[in-house]
Amino acid sequence: MLRKAFSLFVFAAVPGVLSAQDLAAGRCATPDSIAVRGNRRVDVGTIVQTTALIPGTQLNYRILQRATRDLYETGNFESINLMCEEVTTPAPRAVLIFEVRERPVLEAVQVRGVNRLSERQIRDLAELPAARPLDPAAVARAMFKIDSTYEKAGYYLARVRAESTVVSEGTVGLTFTVEEGRRLALSGLRVTGNTNVPAADIAAAMKTRPEGFWFFRTGEISDDEYATDLSERIPALYASRGFIDFHIARDTLHIDREHGKALLELTVVEGPQYKVGDFEVVGGRHYSDEEVREYYPFANTSRPLASRVTGFLLRRDPVPQDVFDQARWESATNLVRESYANDGYIYSQVVPVVERRVTSDSTHYVDLRWEVEEGAPAVINRIEIIGNDYTTEMCIRDQLVILPGDVYNQQRLIQSWQGIGNLGFFETPLPPPDQRRVNEQGDIDLIFRVKEKRTGNVNFGASMGQGTGFGGFIGLDQPNLFGMCKRGALQWQFGRYFNDFNLSYSDPRIRQSMVSGTVTLYRTMARYYIADLGRSLRTGGQVQIGFPVPFDLWTRVFLSYAGEGVKFGDSGLLGETGALYGNNSFRSSVGVTLTRDTRNGTPFPTSGGSQSLSMSFTGGPLGGTSSFQRYTTESSAYVPLGQIGGEKPGQQPMLFVAGLTTRGGAVLGSTGPFFFSQEFALGGVQYGERLRGYEEFSITPDGYLIGTSTYNAQRNSFGKAFFATTAELGLRMNQSLYVNTFFEAGNVWRRAREIDPTRLFRSLGIGASVITPFGPLGLDYAYGLDRLDFSGRRAPKWQLHFRFGQVF
């Protein structure tokens, strides 16, 4: 600990106590009276009453010591002296005198020099109440607490000083002055006693790492992380390599106060390395021994590919397969427990037993055993839902895949919990469901607690601009219509160059069945100034019915019919199309879509994935002015990488997520006048398939369009096949804000047989997405790696993209 600077008070000697025996043996053994001197604040009566001494009573040194101690315990006095005086007038008598020196009263506490921590926090640590006598010991304790708090925050160089100032006679003010200094940085790690594990591996396992070249390697020391390193992380590293008797004999932090650096020295005792010996399962009846052995982690299996690649890249020698790994053993034990829980045995106990033995050749082994105590399976008695004020309980219960009367299944319970959260009507993450035991047989009640959030929105607005005229929008979107999970949406945007009307209604359970349905009607007139695409008027609708797939809760099949008529303006590419095909074009299509969605945390997923395959058939026996087939597929997967915060109840963490999305499509046949909506255009974010870092229509089946600075839409800008993929690393700040970095690649081809995944246009960048009452908004800044200049040479460039109304 640091040496404290303390210049407040000095305790006086206590001669009264030391000479109490002499006083008790003299004339004052039976004093005629008791007097008090030196008191200003505490009255004489209170002092004499505290001593509990009565004149004329026989005294001894023990009584006098007790009286002095009682006075000190009041906290009012800094020093107390005992004296005896013999008075001759008016009559001879002995007077016992308590000469006291009172402590000053604390008027106020001030804190100076605090920047890294809160002044209020430091003041509260002092615990020195105003208008009370000031105790030097309490001041010393306060300084110790303040210094310890700074050490815990990593400021080992902080110095605390307490100074008193006289405010008035008998009162003082106290000021704590803190010299915080900079946070101590760990400059290096020295390990002694390690012969089997390199010091570099030990440093890599710790969170308290020496400072390095990169900005994030600051070398800062946190007491909590340092304690966890010594007690958990380093022992876990050794235990994963068979050294389960490992312990740290000594840890020393050598501090260089002048430079603010520290050197950590660890002395370790590795102990012997244990190999895997015999294995057995004891006590299991629900599963056979062979079924439980499937979870045994030390069977003769080859080394995983990921482990081989990691070892090669980091130049690490692989741990032999026959060496005991404590982490793998504990992980396998948890899998066995989960397996029993999924079959309802939530009260089962799987005890991992590790027995050490040494053979005659001094080889150390561990014999492993799982001792299973199954108990009786638990049955779901009741399921309660608490906190839903608007959403009907039936709507929520539709998401449950575990029902009253079922044997408890942990996996299905997690699926039900995730399904309720994915509705999007409640604040997430939902608290885990409570489990309440209701009888001696072990049956339980499940309680799901939800907190509703605002879902629907109504928005409208108007604008007036030179050259664009009057425009506006009216929108109504309610994903939880009548609180029954039905969705209704009405969108009308109008202006000089566009008039877009869209009406849709969805019912996830038609007449309380497992069949869903969606009806959509639209009339869209848009004039695309972008890329000189031109103007079109599309009028149509779609009816879609969804059916569940047996034995798979996340998969559904959708059947749909769509009809659309289109008319074209006189200018741009669409004007040329209208002149070629006329304005009586009609498209009649049936479609089949297969989807599987296990994402969690939408609209910004943090785990799970989704897959979809869509097929539509247009024309032929259905009639219309064109005949073709269209196939599209999309697959995405998300993996959580870590989080910031969220440890406290009710606190929403910020989550780091890695995601991978792949999209592809192909069209067979002639799309005729519907090429602009049914074929594929690649580039930008405003039209067609997304590829950030490039302008709309800049990527064609013939390659990147060069020789121009304006990328006008042309017939050969559209292809009948495309492929695109996106890899991203994102941070979900909350349910409405998401930031990420991404890498994208894609291309478009004239026909499906020309697809070549090795020839893709690439980009990378950063983006941000936010959910607003007006819909989703996104901003991306991407760097097109394969852009070309006028002469056809590579000319990478940054491109800013703005997205509105797209589901991310």
Side-chain angles (χ1 to χ4, degrees):
M1 296 299 296
L2 299 178
R3 185 180 300 274
K4 306 294 186 293
F6 176 51
S7 59
L8 185 60
F9 299 106
V10 179
F11 280 105
V14 191
V17 174
L18 296 177
S19 60
Q21 188 169 1
D22 296 336
L23 288 172
R27 182 82 181 258
C28 285
T30 56
D32 297 295
S33 62
I34 300 175
V36 179
R37 294 178 184 173
N39 60 308
R40 295 176 178 271
R41 177 170 45 82
V42 185
D43 61 88
V44 174
T46 301
I47 297 175
V48 174
Q49 185 177 3
T50 302
T51 64
L53 299 179
I54 300 175
T57 304
Q58 180 68 39
L59 302 179
N60 56 50
Y61 75 95
R62 293 184 182 277
I63 295 176
L64 294 176
Q65 285 181 335
R66 188 265 309 157
T68 305
R69 184 184 66 247
D70 290 348
L71 287 177
Y72 273 118
E73 288 179 351
T74 65
N76 289 315
F77 306 106
E78 183 177 339
S79 65
I80 302 172
N81 293 323
L82 288 178
M83 296 184 298
C84 181
E85 290 187 0
E86 296 184 4
V87 180
T88 59
T89 58
R93 69 182 190 276
V95 181
L96 179 63
I97 301 173
F98 286 86
E99 188 175 66
V100 299
R101 181 180 175 186
E102 293 178 332
R103 286 176 176 170
V105 174
L106 179 63
E107 182 174 280
V109 177
Q110 294 183 347
V111 177
R112 293 179 181 173
V114 176
N115 296 312
R116 308 292 184 177
L117 303 180
S118 165
E119 286 191 14
R120 181 176 180 180
Q121 178 186 6
I122 299 301
R123 191 177 290 108
D124 291 343
L125 285 172
E127 296 182 344
L128 296 174
R132 297 286 300 275
L134 184 60
D135 183 1
V139 175
R141 289 193 298 269
M143 294 172 61
F144 177 79
K145 289 181 181 179
I146 295 171
D147 186 70
S148 299
T149 301
Y150 270 97
E151 285 188 1
K152 191 173 183 180
Y155 295 93
Y156 287 79
L157 304 179
R159 297 177 180 274
V160 184
R161 193 170 68 252
E163 298 175 338
S164 64
T165 56
V166 177
V167 178
S168 62
E169 186 177 2
T171 62
V172 296
L174 184 63
T175 301
F176 288 100
T177 302
V178 182
E179 297 177 7
E180 293 180 327
R182 61 180 177 178
R183 185 170 288 187
L184 190 67
L186 187 64
S187 60
L189 172 67
R190 180 189 303 156
V191 184
T192 57
N194 60 315
T195 57
N196 295 282
V197 178
D201 291 359
I202 297 176
M206 300 172 62
K207 283 196 174 181
T208 307
R209 297 183 182 180
E211 58 186 351
F213 172 78
W214 298 106
F215 68 93
F216 52 83
R217 289 286 300 274
T218 61
E220 292 183 353
I221 302 175
S222 167
D223 275 3
D224 292 340
E225 296 293 354
Y226 178 61
T228 305
D229 286 336
L230 300 186
S231 62
E232 297 180 13
R233 297 189 183 102
I234 299 178
L237 169 67
Y238 269 91
S240 68
R241 304 188 182 188
F243 298 94
I244 57 177
D245 293 337
F246 165 86
H247 68 276
I248 297 176
R250 185 173 62 255
D251 66 289
T252 306
L253 200 62
H254 301 283
I255 299 177
D256 182 355
R257 300 186 183 280
E258 182 178 353
H259 298 92
K261 304 292 185 179
L263 173 67
L264 175 60
E265 183 176 1
L266 297 178
T267 302
V268 302
V269 178
E270 294 183 327
Q273 186 180 52
Y274 286 85
K275 296 183 178 181
V276 178
D278 298 331
F279 171 71
E280 63 176 336
V281 181
V282 178
R285 296 188 304 274
H286 179 70
Y287 295 118
S288 65
D289 289 354
E290 289 72 19
E291 290 175 315
V292 177
R293 283 178 179 272
E294 293 293 328
Y295 295 96
Y296 181 60
F298 303 112
N300 293 325
T301 57
S302 61
R303 190 180 175 203
L305 178 61
S307 176
R308 297 180 185 180
V309 173
T310 303
F312 173 77
L313 295 176
L314 299 179
R315 306 295 184 184
R316 292 178 180 172
D317 296 329
V319 178
Q321 284 292 109
D322 60 344
V323 170
F324 177 66
D325 185 339
Q326 182 74 35
R328 290 175 61 191
W329 173 243
E330 292 176 354
S331 177
T333 303
N334 290 330
L335 290 176
V336 176
R337 291 168 179 160
E338 291 177 6
S339 180
Y340 273 100
N342 285 336
D343 281 1
Y345 291 88
I346 61 176
Y347 305 111
S348 64
Q349 295 184 5
V350 180
V351 180
V353 179
V354 178
E355 294 181 345
R356 297 165 171 80
R357 63 181 171 91
V358 183
T359 60
S360 57
D361 60 353
S362 298
T363 303
H364 292 72
Y365 287 93
V366 287
D367 294 331
L368 306 176
R369 181 170 68 251
W370 277 326
E371 295 182 351
V372 181
E373 203 174 309
E374 293 177 348
V379 175
I380 306 301
N381 180 57
R382 295 178 57 195
I383 297 179
E384 299 180 18
I385 299 173
I386 299 175
N388 55 313
D389 299 322
Y390 176 73
T391 307
T392 60
E393 189 164 312
M394 182 182 299
C395 174
I396 301 175
R397 288 186 179 273
D398 287 342
Q399 307 303 315
L400 301 179
V401 294
I402 189 169
L403 303 173
D406 291 348
V407 174
Y408 178 89
N409 185 293
Q410 184 168 314
Q411 185 62 35
R412 288 165 61 191
L413 176 63
I414 294 174
Q415 295 170 12
S416 301
W417 175 65
Q418 293 175 343
I420 296 175
N422 286 340
L423 284 173
F425 308 150
F426 311 108
E427 293 185 2
T428 57
L430 294 178
D434 297 334
Q435 301 179 19
R436 182 173 59 199
R437 185 167 180 170
V438 296
N439 54 35
E440 295 181 356
Q441 288 73 31
D443 298 341
I444 61 173
D445 288 346
L446 296 179
I447 303 173
F448 292 88
R449 302 182 185 275
V450 298
K451 184 177 182 181
E452 291 191 296
K453 65 178 182 179
R454 201 190 96 182
T455 54
N457 61 77
V458 178
N459 52 79
F460 56 89
S463 63
M464 176 69 74
Q466 184 177 3
T468 61
F470 177 77
F473 62 91
I474 298 175
L476 168 65
D477 187 12
Q478 176 51 269
N480 189 15
L481 198 61
F482 312 122
M484 300 177 66
C485 294
K486 306 177 190 297
R487 186 183 190 105
L490 169 66
Q491 295 289 335
W492 181 31
Q493 301 181 61
F494 55 90
R496 180 177 179 182
Y497 300 116
F498 59 92
N499 194 320
D500 187 357
F501 178 83
N502 190 297
L503 176 66
S504 66
Y505 172 77
S506 299
D507 189 344
R509 297 195 65 174
I510 300 175
R511 302 178 65 87
Q512 301 306 311
S513 67
M514 297 299 292
V515 179
S516 63
T518 301
V519 178
T520 302
L521 300 174
Y522 59 90
R523 187 177 188 275
T524 301
M525 187 277 286
R527 182 173 182 177
Y528 296 98
Y529 271 96
I530 176 176
D532 194 27
L533 183 59
R535 184 171 60 187
S536 67
L537 174 62
R538 300 167 56 199
T539 305
Q542 176 177 284
V543 177
Q544 179 176 270
I545 300 176
F547 303 91
V549 173
F551 312 112
D552 194 330
L553 301 171
W554 299 282
T555 304
R556 293 184 73 84
V557 175
F558 297 91
L559 304 178
S560 62
Y561 172 79
E564 179 185 84
V566 62
K567 296 182 179 181
F568 304 101
D570 299 328
S571 61
L573 176 61
L574 296 182
E576 299 174 4
T577 303
L580 181 63
Y581 292 99
N583 278 327
N584 294 316
S585 300
F586 180 76
R587 175 173 63 90
S588 180
S589 306
V590 294
V592 179
T593 301
L594 179 67
T595 65
R596 190 173 193 273
D597 193 347
T598 59
R599 294 175 298 170
N600 297 314
T602 54
F604 305 121
T606 56
S607 62
S610 66
Q611 300 82 35
S612 68
L613 173 63
S614 297
M615 300 171 287
S616 66
F617 307 91
T618 302
L622 300 175
T625 56
S626 60
S627 180
F628 60 91
Q629 305 165 34
R630 191 174 194 265
Y631 303 89
T632 59
T633 181
E634 181 172 350
S635 177
S636 62
Y638 302 91
V639 177
L641 301 179
Q643 69 179 51
I644 300 175
E647 290 83 6
K648 298 180 180 179
Q651 186 183 58
Q652 293 191 13
M654 294 188 292
L655 300 173
F656 290 97
V657 182
L660 179 64
T661 301
T662 301
R663 298 171 285 126
V667 174
L668 306 178
S670 175
T671 56
F674 299 98
F675 72 91
F676 70 99
S677 62
Q678 299 301 303
E679 293 186 13
F680 309 105
L682 190 66
V685 299
Q686 299 184 45
Y687 193 91
E689 301 300 330
R690 182 181 71 186
L691 185 61
R692 291 165 286 189
Y694 300 87
E695 292 90 347
E696 280 75 6
F697 301 107
S698 62
I699 298 175
T700 73
D702 297 321
Y704 185 80
L705 192 60
I706 62 175
T708 179
S709 59
T710 58
Y711 300 90
N712 292 340
Q714 304 174 14
R715 181 61 184 90
N716 62 0
S717 300
F718 295 83
K720 290 187 176 181
F722 90 99
F723 174 83
T725 184
T726 302
E728 62 180 300
L729 177 63
L731 173 61
R732 172 177 153 158
M733 310 289 286
N734 52 48
Q735 290 178 274
S736 301
L737 179 60
Y738 178 75
V739 295
N740 69 331
T741 62
F742 58 84
F743 173 83
E744 285 190 332
N747 204 348
V748 60
W749 294 272
R750 187 162 283 107
R751 55 186 62 86
R753 65 173 176 266
E754 297 178 0
I755 293 177
D756 182 7
T758 65
R759 181 64 183 97
L760 303 176
F761 291 89
R762 304 160 299 160
S763 68
L764 52 86
I766 58 177
S769 304
V770 62
I771 302 297
T772 73
F774 304 103
L777 296 176
L779 192 66
D780 301 299
Y781 196 46
Y783 189 69
L785 296 171
D786 298 306
R787 296 168 65 116
L788 304 176
D789 60 15
F790 285 90
S791 60
R793 294 175 297 184
R794 288 191 59 192
K797 182 181 177 182
W798 287 97
Q799 179 83 19
L800 185 65
H801 302 281
F802 178 75
R803 293 174 283 131
F804 175 73
Q806 301 179 23
V807 178
F808 310 125

